[in-house]
Amino acid sequence: MYYLIIWLIIAASALFYFLYQNKKKYWLSALCYTALVLTAGLRYETGTDYFAYAYTYNNTPTLASFSPVVNDMEIGYIFLNSLFRTTGADVNILFLFISVITTFILFRSFQAYIPRQFFFVGILLYYSTIYLGLDMSGVRQAIAVTVFLFSLRYVFQGRFWCYFLCILVSSLFHQSALLLLAFYPVLKVRIRPSVLFTLLGIGILIFIFKITWLHTLLEYGASLFTEDSLIARKLTTYTSSEIFLRNRIFSPAIPFYVMLFILAVIMRRQLSEQTPYFNIIFNLFFLFVLSFFYLYESLDISFRFGYYFMLSYTLLLPLALGLIKSRRHVIVAMTVIFMLSVYAMRDVFLESNKQMMMYRPYQNYVLIKMGLQHRDAKKNTIINPQTHKSINP
C-alpha cells in the first residue's frame, strides 16, 4: 500500500500540473521530491542490498584509520562510509544524504531535458521502472547513474573534459561508469536509419540464435589483469557465478521497446523539436534497446549496464506526448502511460512476487526507532549480513 500511495502522489501531480500548467506549482515538485527522498533515504532493512551495505558500513573504519579497500568497493563510496562513520551516524543517515543528492540531480536534469508540462510523467516512469532497483537497492550505481544523467548537458555543449570529469566522479562509486567514456562520440552523432536497423537486426539474431560472445570477452578481459586485482576478480565473477550468467529471456517489454524505437525513428524530426537534447536521448534509448539483445547472456550485466541507458525511456515517452495536439488526446495518452506504469509495478502492488519480499513491507527508520513500527523478521532470513560480505559488482 505504501508504494501505491507514492505512485498516486506522483501520478496526481503529473495530471494536475498538465491541466494547470499555466500556474506555477512548485509545491508539487517539493512534494514528489520529498516523498522519493524520504522513501529511499529512510528505508530500514528494505531493499535487496540493504544488509550488504549495512555490513560494509559497519565494517568501514573511520577517517582516522581510513582504508580505500573494503569489500572490493569503489573508493568514493568507501570514503562516504568512512566520513559518516566518523560522525557516529547510522547507515540510514548515509542513505538519506545520498538520496537527497541523487534525487535533486534527477529532478534538475529532467527539468532541463524534457518539456516542463510532462516533467512529472518522466518522474513517474522513473519511479515505476528504475527507482526500486537503484535508489532502494543499488546505492553506488544510483550515484553513478545520476551523475551520468547530469553530464549529458556537456555532451550537448561539446565540452568533453566536463563530461570526462563527471564520468570520473561516477566511476568513484561504480567502476562500470568508465565504459561510458567510449560512448561520448556515439551520443553526439546523428546515426542513419540504415545503420540503426542493421545494428538492431544483428542484435535480434544474436538473441534469437543465442550466439555467445560476452562470456568469451569477459574471460579475455580478466586475463589482462593480475588474478588478485579488483577488475580481474569482478570479471571472473561474471564468468563463473551462476547468478551473473542467467540469460535474459523474452518478455513483453522487448517488443514494446522495439516499437517505441521504430516510432522514434519515424517521428525523429518532430521529436527533435520538443527538446534540443533529443538526439542524445534517442541515442541513449537505442543503446538501451541494443542492451536487451547483445547482452542477453547475462541478465545482471544487461540490467546494471542498461541502467545508464534506461533513463532515456523515462525521457522519450514524455517527449512523445508533446507531439499530440489535442488536450483530450494527451490525457488519454497519459492514462495509457499510467497503466503501463502500474503494470511495471504490479508485483510490488499485488505482493505476488516472492523476489519483492525485501521491499515489503516498507519499513521506515524513524518509525522503527520510535517503536511505532515493528521489524519484519523474515527479511533477516533472506540475506544474512554476516555472510553476505560483498555486493554484486
Side-chain angles (χ1 to χ4, degrees):
M1 178 60 71
Y2 177 84
Y3 298 106
L4 178 59
I5 293 174
I6 301 301
W7 185 92
L8 289 172
I9 289 174
I10 303 175
S13 298
L15 184 59
F16 190 80
Y17 191 85
F18 173 73
L19 294 175
Y20 303 99
Q21 57 188 276
N22 57 324
K23 299 179 181 180
K24 295 182 179 180
K25 301 294 180 183
Y26 295 119
W27 63 272
L28 289 176
S29 295
L31 177 63
C32 293
Y33 173 81
T34 302
L36 293 182
V37 165
L38 296 184
T39 297
L42 294 181
R43 69 191 185 280
Y44 184 80
E45 296 184 353
T46 301
T48 55
D49 286 341
Y50 179 92
F51 290 110
Y53 275 119
Y55 181 89
T56 297
Y57 183 81
N58 293 329
N59 287 274
T60 299
T62 61
L63 290 177
S65 53
F66 175 73
S67 172
V69 181
V70 179
N71 276 15
D72 288 345
M73 286 192 184
E74 291 78 1
I75 187 173
Y77 184 74
I78 294 303
F79 176 78
L80 273 183
N81 277 253
S82 185
L83 178 63
F84 277 80
R85 281 274 291 163
T86 302
T87 67
D90 288 343
V91 66
N92 288 85
I93 305 304
L94 171 63
F95 289 158
L96 181 61
F97 172 79
I98 292 174
S99 185
V100 167
I101 302 300
T102 56
T103 308
F104 177 78
I105 296 175
L106 177 78
F107 272 52
R108 292 302 300 268
S109 297
F110 271 54
Q111 290 172 347
Y113 301 153
I114 60 178
R116 186 63 62 91
Q117 66 266 33
F118 301 121
F119 163 76
F120 289 105
V121 176
I123 296 298
L124 183 67
L125 290 170
Y126 180 87
Y127 173 71
S128 59
T129 57
I130 302 177
Y131 181 78
L132 262 65
L134 279 185
D135 299 65
M136 295 281 288
S137 289
V139 177
R140 290 150 50 233
Q141 192 168 11
I143 300 173
V145 168
T146 50
V147 174
F148 170 64
L149 178 64
F150 180 85
S151 73
L152 296 181
R153 66 198 66 209
Y154 298 126
V155 177
F156 175 73
Q157 297 168 6
R159 300 167 64 181
F160 171 75
W161 290 110
C162 291
Y163 176 81
F164 175 84
L165 181 61
C166 287
I167 300 305
L168 185 62
V169 171
S170 293
S171 68
L172 294 178
F173 297 93
H174 209 277
Q175 289 185 347
S176 63
L178 286 174
L179 295 174
L180 298 171
L181 290 173
F183 291 100
Y184 178 80
V186 177
L187 295 176
K188 290 175 61 68
V189 70
R190 181 181 174 86
I191 308 174
R192 295 180 179 180
S194 58
V195 177
L196 293 172
F197 287 112
T198 298
L199 292 175
L200 178 60
I202 294 174
I204 292 175
L205 291 177
I206 289 175
F207 180 80
I208 292 176
F209 293 102
K210 304 301 178 185
I211 300 174
T212 59
W213 69 274
L214 182 60
H215 186 272
T216 302
L217 180 64
L218 292 176
E219 284 187 331
Y220 175 73
S223 67
L224 298 178
F225 303 90
T226 57
E227 292 185 1
D228 60 343
S229 67
L230 175 60
I231 295 178
R233 288 199 299 271
K234 289 193 173 185
L235 291 176
T236 301
T237 299
Y238 278 122
T239 58
S240 60
S241 172
E242 293 183 1
I243 296 177
F244 302 124
L245 289 179
R246 290 176 299 174
N247 287 1
R248 177 185 287 279
I249 61 176
F250 180 83
S251 71
I254 293 179
F256 169 76
Y257 288 128
V258 170
M259 288 189 294
L260 181 60
F261 165 73
I262 294 174
L263 176 64
V265 173
I266 295 173
M267 306 298 293
R268 204 171 186 176
R269 181 182 61 80
Q270 294 88 335
L271 286 168
S272 63
E273 296 174 356
Q274 303 295 315
T275 174
Y277 292 94
F278 169 74
N279 191 61
I280 296 174
I281 294 172
F282 174 79
N283 288 344
L284 275 176
F285 184 68
F286 178 56
L287 292 172
F288 172 59
V289 173
L290 292 186
S291 71
F292 274 82
F293 303 114
Y294 284 88
L295 302 179
Y296 84 91
E297 294 174 62
S298 174
L299 181 64
D300 189 82
I301 293 179
S302 179
F303 264 112
R304 288 183 177 275
F305 198 57
Y307 273 132
Y308 295 107
F309 306 140
M310 192 175 183
L311 285 164
S312 59
Y313 153 71
T314 66
L315 297 170
L316 189 59
L317 272 181
L319 288 178
L321 289 175
L323 299 179
I324 305 174
K325 304 303 180 183
S326 170
R327 187 182 181 90
R328 182 184 304 173
H329 291 162
V330 170
I331 295 177
V332 172
M334 288 178 64
T335 303
V336 173
I337 291 177
F338 289 173
M339 293 173 63
L340 291 173
S341 175
V342 170
Y343 178 79
M345 298 193 73
R346 62 193 182 282
D347 292 328
V348 182
F349 294 157
L350 300 177
E351 302 187 1
S352 60
N353 192 333
K354 292 183 178 180
Q355 293 181 353
M356 291 294 170
M357 285 182 64
M358 287 307 299
Y359 296 99
R360 302 189 310 261
Y362 176 80
Q363 296 178 166
N364 183 276
Y365 173 77
V366 175
L367 296 181
I368 291 288
K369 293 300 181 181
M370 293 177 64
L372 300 177
Q373 187 179 22
H374 298 289
R375 297 171 59 190
D376 183 0
K378 292 182 180 179
K379 291 182 178 180
N380 288 277
T381 65
I382 300 175
I383 298 179
N384 187 329
Q386 298 303 319
T387 58
H388 194 121
K389 296 182 180 181
S390 63
I391 298 176
N392 297 343

